[in-house]
Amino acid sequence: MRVTQEGLDFSKSVVILITQWNRHYITQRCIDSIRKYNDLTDVSILVLDDNSDSEDTKKWIEETSESVLCMETNCHHNAIIRRMQDLYKDVESIKYLCAMNNDIIVTNNWLKNALQCMEENNNIMLIGIKDNNDYHQYQYFRVPEEFRPEENNGCYGDDSKLQEYINNEFYAKRKPNICICIPTIDGSVMLFRNSIFKLIGTFDKDFDDYAADSEFFARIIKNNLSVAYCLSSFVYHKSGGGAGKYEGYLKTFNKPLSEAAIEKTELLKTRYNIDITSHGRSWN
């Protein structure tokens, strides 16, 4: 159902934000996995729609029982997340914001374990979750081909084999609160401590079109706070398979950089002495 900012649920301590543009069935598959594998007693889910123009998705927005906030103007993913950070930063009842791509299947303990890492490490302001993409050495956990869910137009099919494999080969062999503090993460799932936005501000508007997450990581470190990977949480993610309007604008290390990306990459080098063009997120 379509909701307004005034009608948002501020009663839960964790808010999961999922961005979409068209292909609502990918979003619904993601939400179904969240509802199946998580205790949502203190968690709310909000879909952020970037002016979808598909008739099927427009119909879904009006008919679904999920809460969908429609953006008034076309935005990049970064700008949408920044708007929500600005909206939630003064709401004391909300402790955590989780920004998530929609082409994801979650697993049993991904949120529980990430929240435990946060609760036990007050200096950590932002946590990334391990997945099956090898953009970052700490992020990657390989899922053998025979356990991966089949895909149809970017949407995942049955994930029962995946869940069984992750339970046996990942969660059964890891303590629930393992994390590692590093300068930067890959941003397919980002769990923010909501108080960080009052401390250092939200995503920088100057980076709406590229690398807002990298700039934010750098600002956290500059303020003697921590960014971390939760090594005991896992989600399944097909990079580039989501319903983003501006396909490929974030992970451009395998593609020619756009003019905006070149500009923002140089600005990050000047401001923080970081280079994000080598394997996505590299620091000097």
Side-chain angles (χ1 to χ4, degrees):
M1 60 182 173
R2 186 189 296 264
V3 297
T4 63
Q5 288 191 10
E6 293 73 23
L8 294 179
D9 182 2
F10 295 120
S11 66
K12 309 295 178 64
S13 68
V14 181
V15 179
I16 297 176
L17 305 172
I18 305 172
T19 54
Q20 76 165 14
W21 179 69
N22 292 331
R23 295 199 287 177
H24 61 280
Y25 46 87
I26 297 178
T27 304
Q28 187 64 66
R29 183 69 180 87
C30 174
I31 294 173
D32 289 346
S33 74
I34 294 172
R35 294 199 178 281
K36 183 175 181 179
Y37 298 114
N38 293 271
D39 176 4
L40 299 182
T41 304
D42 201 23
V43 178
S44 64
I45 300 172
L46 179 63
V47 178
L48 306 172
D49 184 81
D50 188 9
N51 285 270
S52 292
D53 53 17
S54 159
E55 292 303 319
D56 286 346
T57 297
K58 288 180 181 180
K59 182 180 179 181
W60 177 82
I61 290 172
E62 302 302 330
E63 295 181 353
T64 182
S65 59
E66 306 297 344
S67 297
V68 183
L69 181 65
C70 296
M71 300 294 106
E72 296 176 359
T73 57
N74 293 344
C75 302
H76 280 292
H77 170 82
N78 292 337
I80 295 174
I81 298 303
R82 174 176 53 78
R83 290 184 184 186
M84 303 314 295
Q85 292 169 346
D86 283 328
L87 178 64
Y88 285 112
K89 67 181 182 182
D90 293 319
V91 183
E92 293 186 3
S93 59
I94 296 174
K95 296 178 65 177
Y96 303 104
L97 289 184
C98 181
M100 176 185 294
N101 291 6
N102 64 343
D103 55 334
I104 279 174
I105 289 180
V106 305
T107 58
N108 266 325
N109 294 316
W110 75 280
L111 184 58
K112 175 184 175 183
N113 289 358
L115 289 173
Q116 185 170 336
C117 283
M118 281 285 210
E119 296 289 347
E120 295 178 359
N121 299 275
N122 292 330
N123 203 55
I124 294 177
M125 297 292 121
L126 172 60
I127 276 183
I129 310 298
K130 288 180 75 69
D131 69 20
N132 50 292
N133 289 308
D134 60 351
Y135 298 123
H136 199 295
Q137 61 175 320
Y138 296 113
Q139 176 191 22
Y140 183 52
F141 181 80
R142 183 179 182 275
V143 176
E145 190 75 34
E146 61 267 31
F147 296 103
R148 300 175 191 176
E150 293 184 2
E151 297 174 30
N152 181 18
N153 196 21
C155 191
Y156 300 114
D158 178 62
D159 65 324
S160 56
K161 290 183 179 180
L162 169 70
Q163 299 293 341
E164 183 179 3
Y165 180 81
I166 294 302
N167 285 337
N168 294 335
E169 300 300 324
F170 186 85
Y171 289 121
K173 299 179 179 181
R174 294 168 185 257
K175 294 180 179 179
N177 59 345
I178 303 172
C179 59
I180 183 169
C181 294
I182 53 178
T184 181
I185 62 174
D186 181 77
S188 60
V189 179
M190 295 184 289
L191 180 65
F192 300 89
R193 195 183 298 273
N194 198 32
S195 59
I196 187 61
F197 306 122
K198 276 190 172 183
L199 290 173
I200 68 170
T202 60
F203 275 11
D204 190 328
K205 190 175 183 179
D206 290 342
F207 291 83
D208 272 356
D209 53 357
Y210 188 76
D213 50 356
S214 295
E215 192 281 332
F216 194 72
F217 305 155
R219 220 180 324 142
I220 290 175
I221 303 300
K222 188 177 180 181
N223 282 271
N224 297 315
L225 300 168
S226 297
V227 174
Y229 262 123
C230 180
L231 303 183
S232 49
S233 293
F234 179 84
V235 298
Y236 189 82
H237 175 223
K238 181 182 185 299
S239 177
K245 182 181 297 185
Y246 305 97
E247 219 169 284
Y249 82 94
L250 261 179
K251 296 182 176 69
T252 55
F253 49 86
N254 290 326
K255 304 174 184 179
L257 288 175
S258 67
E259 185 175 335
I262 292 172
E263 177 187 348
K264 299 306 157 50
T265 298
E266 291 303 315
L267 184 55
L268 284 172
K269 287 181 181 178
T270 301
R271 189 179 293 183
Y272 300 109
N273 191 33
I274 63 174
D275 181 5
I276 62 171
T277 61
S278 174
H279 204 58
R281 305 285 191 274
S282 292
W283 287 58
N284 293 332

